[in-house]
Amino acid sequence: MSTEQLSARPDGVRRLENVVIRFAGDSGDGMQLTGDRFGAQAAAIGNDVATLPNYPAEIRAPAGTVAGVSSYQLHIADHDITTPGDQPDVLVAMNPAALRANVTELRPGGVIITDTDAFTALGLEKAGYESDPLTDGSLDAYQLHAINLTGFAAAAVADHNLKRKDAARTKNMFALGLVSWMFSQPIEDTAAYLRKRFAAKPDVQAANISALRAGWIYGETTEAFASVYEVKPAPLPAGTYRHMKGNKGIAYGLVAAAHQAAMPLFLGAYPITPASEVLHELSALASFDVRSFQAEDEIAAIGAAIGASFAGMLGVTVTSGPGMALKAEALGLAVIMELPLVVVNVQRGGPSTGLPTKTEQSDLLQALYGRHGEAPLPVIAVRSPADGFAAAVEAARIALTYRTPVILLSDSYIANGSEPWRVPELDELPSLGIDLATEPNGVDAEGNPIFLPYARDPKTLARPLAIPGTPGLTHRIGGLEKADGTGAVSYDPDNHDLMIRTRQAKIDGIDVPPLEVDDPDGPPGSGADVLVVGWGSTWGPIGEACRMVRAQGLKVAQAHLTHIAPLPANVASVLSEYHTVLVPEMNLGQLAGHLRRETLIDTVGYNVTRGMPFRSSELASVITRVIAGIADEDGTGTVDGRALGDVAARLAAKTDAGANKRDATLEAGR
Amino acid sequence: MSEVNEASGAKADEPAGGSARRAPTVADFTTGAEARWCPGCGDHAILSTMRGLLPALGVAPENTVVVSGIGCSSRLPYYLDTYGIHSIHGRAPSFATGISINRPDLSVWVVTGDGDALSIGGNHLIHALRRNVNLKILLFNNHIYGLTKGQHSPTSKVGTVSPSSPHGSLDNPFNPIALALGAGATFVARTLDSDRRHLTATLTAAAAHQGAALVEIRQGCPTFTPIPRQPRGSAAPAPETDNPAAPEQGPIRLSPGLPIVFGTNEQWGVIRDPSTGELAIGHGGDSRVVVHDPGIQNSTYAYALARLAETSLAEPPIGVYRSVTQPSFDQLFQERLATARPGGRGELRSLLTGVDSWEVAAS
Ligand code: SF4
């Protein structure tokens, strides 16, 4: 939404094509809930919605400090969008720290709504303000609405028998009511939600609903804002839709896959941010024969999943990077035992504990190569929150069809972000049932029928699965090299070489759809000169950036990889049709290296690891520069005019600025 | 999957191996693979006992799963014609847990060693025990790392000279029985590879136990840690000594309901100090001699028994230290599933649609 649009005339409802709103406050202020509800309201009136929650790693960072700020950004639009938006148009800042941490990203001319109650001397000091920004003129470039949100909320809930502190806590619902009014969103769904959520605490329930309504009424009666805005429904394909988060989508995709395979789903998991939510979702679905098991550690989690798979379940484990490292040995076992298994890695900033609540794409090489021995396995990546479901079904399809562990890569942005998702009809889902072995499939030297666990399907090279309880097919599998066919322990050199190549050939032969190119100017070779290739959660920002670039009259093509191992068969031929292939990644060039290894094609990288998704505008300017032939020579990205690859210069700049002066943006834990 | 008889682990509605089939024999549990342990290794004796024992349990080979880790002992699944996994070092209990809790119709065994179970896999062992997963865990304790050529293990005595401790090991050993009791194991026993009858009886009792059963099998490793012991069937009885800790007294044999006496002439006994409750070695005729009861819920007594060897005996007692009834994790896990879906599986489409969906009409 443009500045002019926000400086609206006081003549009723203004229509917007899209708007970006960020709710920010202390971690204890309930911003995630507020944002989540606003998104649900927008989705319910048919807007396209993309969200970006952002919160500190600590459960309770010091209250009132910049480090303790939690935020939730939403992009709502009357058209198809794929990103949570680059810059907020509206910032709701519940305290000085939230203002300080976020205001620099607000669009000039944007709207700020703050809670004056929090702008005390102490509050300002904790946030590091030397003077009060509400009065010192530093916010003159914005439309500031300083309102005593806490005071009004407390007054609205005065009848509800709450302690002073609890009454003040309803300020987030007051703010939500106010912003809902501002954007013409009905609040009835949220009232219904609060009724359910606080069913056990009638006072809290009633107070929150009162505060929500009071916020709405405040907006309506005080004429605090010059105008009311409205974002019309987006023209989505017909169907049933719901608001879907990435983690939940993956959980549901796994449940659907087990349903389609007519197998129970078994999850072995150990809690880890940002993957635990998948464990939580699945733990609540015992009624769908989901067997969820919280193991004693990451190794036991995958061990139990492999055991369950051997016993005839669809075995799954979910984790994040550090957990993947611990599972590596067991993954190798699953590779040699050739059992179906889905391993979900919801990536976060690494190495080590890194940035546990922030996003990154830096586990790709770990997924592809992070095991000892020749241990190939398929790797596929989720591209957006609404894609979690389909990607999980695809991971299960490959695992079951080819009897192999599959790594499904998601990331923190996808995990917590949400989008409208079209609920598939069941008959749209693939049938994933597999034939378990019930009869011997070979004969021994004496001609007696025997079971050969390492015989192969000639087409897929998959081995037969016989589960315990099947008479006559008893067999042992394990980590020692298997003899082809019989699966007996074999130290034979030729057999080992054959088995290594067979396992590789099985993965290489997986049926993967071809890479598709999106280029309105023509197919590869006759359209754009520059192709932008991405994987995982960069899909949205890259797509948005390409549309921005095309709007300037330039040509650019986009292709996105869901299957990274094996790559689609046409990758090399597609890439070679372009003068330049740009690969933006939230890592230092992991896909680029993989592509080079597999295709011998050199790409231009744009690599930034700041724990946040790319901004489309940033990528659009990179693409524009690449088209103009002035690509970042070292291929390591620039942000805000800083060349990120020049480490020496960056270190020197920090020293110049004073070693003790803290970088506020880093402090904010963005 | 049909309902299962918890006691035997066999399907309740048909005899083991299916109604049309004869009862399984030793041959049915024997694979063609040749056992590759050193000559004289205690593992041969344990394997032979297992082959003799399994047919008698009434569980068909296809309903038996043996899961092992890494080490000499962990080769055992290859020699039993059941379903089996030779997994990775220390992690066998986790694989076995995934099998057992999902498939109550199966009898699941874990074969492990002192390095496998107590060093690299210590975490999985204690958690399988505290959860009371329905696993029969056979811990072959030879006090050494055999497969990797003789390094000291977590059960090696302090001062054990080995390739990795040429001047003697420094670390205190685990007492596997005390460890298992500390983890809350509901069935804990110790037996010997060399005493087939005792081994058979102990494993039979473990198989009948509902929940996690930990059986420490003291195993001779002639290659690295030969156990000095009485030649079997030697005609000359051991001379009576006045030292209860003398090896020739033999290990204490624990029998439920019987006084704990030992020695060539039962001249020694385990007595309880009535004031402190502690156990000590006294004379066999003492009125304070303890009558063995593995069914005591409180594990203090079993723990005191387990620690006797550290102070007063050459060899720890053998037999069942503790056998108490508690619901198995498997049973609770299955009950939870059954109560969650009284009418069968939920309707997938309604799950996917949820309660906050909306319709977009064709434009
Ligand atoms: S090294 Fe010891 S335990 Fe291992 S097979 Fe040889 S004798 Fe048995």
Side-chain angles (χ1 to χ4, degrees):
Chain A
M1 145 172 133
S2 72
T3 313
E4 300 79 67
Q5 282 175 302
L6 258 184
S7 316
R9 295 168 310 228
D11 59 1
V13 178
R14 305 292 311 147
R15 189 165 166 199
L16 303 177
E17 289 178 356
N18 67 306
V19 65
V20 178
I21 300 170
R22 185 183 293 179
F23 293 93
D26 206 52
S27 325
D29 285 345
M31 292 297 98
Q32 302 300 320
L33 172 66
T34 309
D36 195 51
R37 288 314 313 165
F38 192 81
Q41 291 174 182
I45 59 172
N47 296 147
D48 199 359
V49 184
T51 68
L52 176 66
N54 187 22
Y55 45 87
E58 291 76 23
I59 295 294
R60 281 281 177 266
T65 64
V66 169
V69 171
S70 157
S71 70
Y72 195 107
Q73 180 166 315
L74 301 105
H75 186 186
I76 62 178
D78 68 356
H79 56 275
D80 185 20
I81 49 167
T82 52
T83 75
D86 289 357
Q87 273 187 302
D89 302 300
V90 178
L91 171 65
V92 179
M94 302 302 283
N95 68 10
L99 180 66
R100 180 141 199 241
N102 292 286
V103 74
T104 52
E105 291 179 37
L106 185 64
R107 193 180 289 275
V111 172
I112 300 173
I113 298 170
T114 59
D115 181 6
T116 53
D117 190 68
F119 282 72
T120 58
L122 180 63
L124 292 168
E125 190 196 319
K126 280 192 189 165
Y129 274 121
E130 277 155 22
S131 67
D132 186 348
L134 302 187
T135 54
D136 68 7
S138 60
L139 302 177
D140 283 355
Y142 308 101
Q143 302 179 51
L144 176 64
H145 298 278
I147 301 166
N148 188 347
L149 299 173
T150 303
F152 284 122
V157 305
D159 297 343
H160 291 300
N161 203 10
L162 293 185
K163 290 198 202 98
R164 219 189 93 67
K165 211 173 133 216
D166 289 340
R169 285 173 64 105
T170 62
K171 66 188 171 197
N172 64 332
M173 287 299 115
F174 185 88
L176 177 60
L178 179 60
V179 179
S180 300
W181 171 80
M182 190 177 168
F183 288 95
S184 312
Q185 287 190 1
I187 51 174
E188 300 322 314
D189 283 0
T190 295
Y193 170 87
L194 292 170
R195 241 170 255 128
K196 236 176 96 188
R197 168 154 176 161
F198 296 113
K201 297 179 186 163
D203 286 339
V204 175
Q205 178 197 60
N208 274 289
I209 295 172
S210 295
L212 176 71
R213 289 196 198 292
W216 170 281
I217 293 166
Y218 176 87
E220 195 174 47
T221 55
T222 61
E223 298 185 0
F225 304 103
S227 192
V228 177
Y229 303 94
E230 182 185 31
V231 180
K232 288 282 189 198
L236 297 168
T240 305
Y241 282 79
R242 72 183 289 190
H243 211 43
M244 185 53 78
K245 285 178 79 174
N247 269 346
K248 188 172 190 141
I250 289 173
Y252 280 15
L254 293 168
V255 173
H259 178 274
Q260 293 303 98
M263 288 169 125
L265 179 67
F266 177 85
L267 171 73
Y270 185 75
I272 185 169
T273 302
S276 299
E277 208 180 350
V278 182
L279 165 65
H280 303 167
E281 289 288 346
L282 290 175
S283 298
L285 296 178
S287 59
F288 289 85
D289 207 4
V290 175
R291 296 131 184 253
S292 135
F293 173 66
Q294 183 175 315
E296 61 269 23
D297 60 28
E298 294 281 1
I299 300 170
I302 187 172
I306 292 171
S309 175
F310 181 68
M313 317 288 125
L314 173 56
V316 174
T317 186
V318 300
T319 187
S320 188
M324 284 301 286
L326 287 164
K327 293 181 196 297
E329 186 190 10
L331 262 177
L333 180 70
V335 166
I336 199 169
M337 295 203 301
E338 301 190 43
L339 286 174
L341 182 75
V342 177
V343 181
V344 182
N345 175 0
V346 186
Q347 299 165 96
R348 61 190 220 184
S352 192
T353 312
L355 300 180
T357 61
K358 307 297 174 192
T359 200
E360 209 161 276
Q361 298 183 297
S362 45
D363 298 346
L364 178 62
L365 293 182
Q366 179 196 40
L368 291 168
Y369 308 118
R371 291 160 297 283
H372 68 279
E374 294 287 349
L377 51 74
V379 177
I380 71 176
V382 186
R383 66 183 190 181
S384 71
D387 182 49
F389 182 89
V393 171
E394 173 66 355
R397 177 191 73 88
I398 294 175
L400 289 165
T401 308
Y402 295 90
R403 289 81 204 262
T404 177
V406 175
I407 293 179
L408 175 61
L409 292 174
S410 178
D411 66 36
S412 181
Y413 161 51
I414 290 170
N416 297 305
S418 58
E419 288 177 322
W421 169 65
R422 193 180 68 78
V423 182
E425 298 294 340
L426 295 192
D427 58 16
E428 294 173 46
L429 300 176
S431 166
L432 301 180
I434 58 171
D435 292 328
L436 294 172
T438 53
E439 299 288 337
N441 58 352
V443 285
D444 65 12
E446 282 91 56
N448 301 312
I450 53 165
F451 178 56
L452 299 172
Y454 283 79
R456 303 268 165 197
D457 178 289
K459 193 166 152 276
T460 60
L461 296 181
R463 73 177 190 87
L465 295 179
I467 62 169
T470 315
L473 306 189
T474 52
H475 64 284
R476 279 78 31 210
I477 56 177
L480 287 169
E481 185 59 280
K482 316 270 165 288
D484 176 43
T486 65
V489 174
S490 167
Y491 302 113
D492 176 68
D494 279 344
N495 177 74
H496 180 54
D497 185 80
L498 173 66
M499 292 302 274
I500 280 190
R501 290 175 199 278
T502 305
R503 287 187 287 262
Q504 184 69 53
K506 180 177 83 167
I507 302 305
D508 291 346
I510 289 173
D511 181 22
V512 169
L515 182 65
E516 287 179 14
V517 174
D518 169 39
D519 182 0
D521 292 306
S526 55
D529 290 333
V530 173
L531 173 70
V532 188
V533 174
W535 70 278
S537 73
T538 55
W539 175 73
I542 292 173
E544 198 86 15
C546 287
R547 285 187 281 277
M548 288 173 169
V549 169
R550 289 172 197 147
Q552 299 167 32
L554 300 171
K555 293 177 182 177
V556 64
Q558 180 191 7
H560 205 75
L561 287 164
T562 293
H563 297 83
I564 304 172
L567 285 166
N570 64 338
V571 163
S573 64
V574 168
L575 266 54
S576 61
E577 291 290 346
Y578 291 86
H579 178 268
T580 306
V581 177
L582 172 67
V583 183
E585 292 181 84
M586 295 186 288
N587 60 43
L588 294 185
Q590 301 195 6
L591 177 66
H594 181 58
L595 287 175
R596 183 181 163 83
R597 181 182 195 267
E598 297 293 317
T599 68
L600 287 180
I601 292 174
D602 245 342
T603 58
V604 176
Y606 181 71
N607 306 92
V608 182
T609 51
R610 300 166 78 232
M612 295 291 282
F614 286 121
R615 292 182 193 158
S616 317
S617 53
E618 165 192 344
L619 287 182
S621 93
V622 172
I623 296 169
T624 313
R625 279 186 286 138
V626 169
I627 292 172
I630 45 172
D632 205 30
E633 281 306 316
D634 62 359
T636 45
T638 57
V639 170
D640 304 340
R642 283 182 288 168
L644 299 183
D646 192 346
V647 171
R650 290 175 71 187
L651 290 174
K654 278 187 84 79
T655 314
D656 290 347
N660 295 326
K661 183 161 174 275
R662 291 182 164 189
D663 182 333
T665 57
L666 294 179
E667 264 306 275
R670 307 179 322 155
Chain B
M1 258 169 265
S2 51
E3 287 301 305
V4 293
N5 177 341
E6 283 280 331
S8 68
K11 291 188 180 179
D13 52 357
E14 58 183 76
S19 51
R21 289 164 58 192
R22 57 178 171 68
T25 63
V26 173
D28 292 326
F29 282 95
T30 304
T31 62
E34 182 198 354
R36 297 194 176 202
W37 290 301
C38 306
C41 174
D43 293 355
H44 291 290
I46 302 171
L47 171 63
S48 146
T49 304
M50 283 290 283
R51 282 175 175 163
L53 170 83
L54 288 171
L57 296 179
V59 183
E62 67 266 19
N63 286 330
T64 306
V65 183
V66 186
V67 184
S68 66
I70 294 293
C72 293
S73 58
S74 290
R75 294 301 176 92
L76 190 124
Y78 288 119
Y79 312 133
L80 287 176
D81 197 357
T82 65
Y83 284 88
I85 294 182
H86 177 214
S87 76
I88 48 177
H89 204 12
R91 320 299 174 194
S94 65
F95 297 94
T97 296
I99 297 167
S100 183
I101 65 177
N102 283 301
R103 294 287 304 273
D105 56 323
L106 303 176
S107 170
V108 184
W109 298 68
V110 170
V111 174
T112 181
D114 41 315
D116 196 54
L118 300 174
S119 210
I120 193 166
N123 200 31
H124 309 303
L125 179 73
I126 59 176
H127 287 278
L129 295 176
R130 80 158 165 102
R131 288 191 186 103
N132 202 27
V133 181
N134 200 8
L135 303 176
K136 313 306 153 213
I137 304 173
L138 313 187
L139 195 168
F140 295 17
N141 184 3
N142 62 358
H143 305 87
I144 209 78
Y145 284 93
L147 195 65
T148 52
K149 303 211 176 358
Q151 300 85 353
H152 64 105
S153 91
T155 56
S156 299
K157 285 201 174 80
V158 175
T160 296
V161 173
S162 81
S164 58
S165 55
H167 307 293
S169 61
L170 303 174
D171 35 347
N172 281 320
F174 264 136
N175 176 330
I177 300 293
L179 180 81
L181 290 167
T186 52
F187 183 99
V188 183
R190 182 171 353 221
T191 183
L192 305 174
D193 59 354
S194 54
D195 186 338
R196 187 175 179 121
R197 183 185 286 176
H198 193 269
L199 181 59
T200 302
T202 309
L203 295 184
T204 305
H209 179 72
Q210 284 313 294
L214 184 282
V215 180
E216 177 196 356
I217 305 173
R218 304 249 300 163
Q219 176 232 317
C221 167
T223 304
F224 295 111
T225 56
I227 297 179
R229 60 164 83 83
Q230 283 293 107
R232 284 184 61 80
S234 85
E240 192 171 322
T241 75
D242 48 8
N243 175 14
E248 55 271 25
Q249 304 291 357
I252 295 177
R253 289 166 179 267
L254 303 169
S255 302
L258 295 180
I260 309 179
V261 288
F262 64 105
T264 41
N265 290 316
E266 299 190 343
Q267 69 273 41
W268 307 106
V270 173
I271 58 168
R272 180 185 279 118
D273 180 327
S275 57
T276 65
E278 276 172 20
L279 301 182
I281 304 300
H283 287 283
D286 193 314
S287 63
R288 295 171 299 169
V289 166
V290 172
V291 174
H292 182 56
D293 180 5
I296 304 172
Q297 279 290 342
N298 185 325
S299 56
T300 311
Y301 157 72
Y303 188 78
L305 264 184
R307 299 236 82 124
L308 267 180
E310 289 164 27
T311 51
S312 334
L313 297 171
E315 275 195 72
I318 60 172
V320 179
Y321 283 69
R322 185 172 198 236
S323 175
V324 298
T325 304
Q326 280 171 21
S328 70
F329 184 83
D330 312 48
Q331 185 189 334
L332 299 172
F333 190 79
Q334 290 294 327
E335 280 170 13
R336 175 72 49 84
L337 277 175
T339 51
R341 48 183 166 101
R345 257 193 194 189
E347 213 277 294
L348 179 62
R349 170 76 188 180
S350 69
L351 170 74
L352 300 185
T353 307
V355 292
D356 51 359
S357 64
W358 67 94
E359 295 296 326
V360 172
S363 48

